[in-house]
Amino acid sequence: MFQLAQIITGKSEKDLFTVLALKADIILAVTLTMAVLQQAITGMATSWMLLLVGSLFSIIVLTGLDKGARKALAGIPSYIPYVFGIYLFFVEGFGRLTQLVTSFSIVNAALVILFFVAGNVVATVGYNAVVYARRLEQSH
């Protein structure tokens, strides 16, 4: 994907990753804010705690890869955004979708859409983060 985008836009791989990571960071910041607010309102719940921790670690990894902390983040940590995006899409998105059958509300419907979109964006950027980290690791 990076190579095709580089040909079309003429930008470097780092510039393209920066744009993708910025989009994911915005979505992750929204998810992190929701998780913090829900933790403050309802107390400690596992689902919201996973959203809080996953968002925080994903932001750290994406920002660290963008800023050049590739030695610390090139291995297993580079998979965190990808796995978290899959969690958002399948567990949070589909889990809340099945809850809509029993009790429909506009808020739950909006959360389903948010988690489907967020999961898709974060998983896509997470996959590109793994590829980008490997290329950075190979180049140095």
Side-chain angles (χ1 to χ4, degrees), residues 31-135:
T31 306
L32 180 67
T33 304
M34 282 180 16
V36 167
L37 289 174
Q38 283 297 327
Q39 290 288 357
I41 293 170
T42 62
M44 297 299 237
T46 306
S47 173
W48 293 107
M49 185 56 83
L50 284 172
L51 288 175
L52 182 117
V53 171
S55 296
L56 191 60
F57 283 148
S58 294
I59 290 171
I60 290 169
V61 168
L62 292 176
T63 306
L65 283 174
D66 186 37
K67 300 295 183 200
R70 58 184 163 262
K71 288 187 179 188
L73 301 173
I76 299 291
S78 67
Y79 286 92
I80 291 173
Y82 180 64
V83 172
F84 183 64
I86 291 171
Y87 169 79
L88 283 176
F89 189 85
F90 287 107
V91 176
E92 292 294 331
F94 279 115
R96 292 181 190 277
L97 186 62
T98 59
Q99 290 175 356
L100 282 179
V101 174
T102 58
S103 63
F104 181 81
S105 73
I106 299 297
V107 173
N108 285 340
L111 285 174
V112 166
I113 294 169
L114 173 76
F115 287 129
F116 278 145
V117 171
N120 185 21
V121 170
V122 174
T124 302
V125 173
Y127 174 77
N128 289 326
V130 171
V131 172
Y132 183 64
R134 283 186 184 163
R135 287 188 181 161

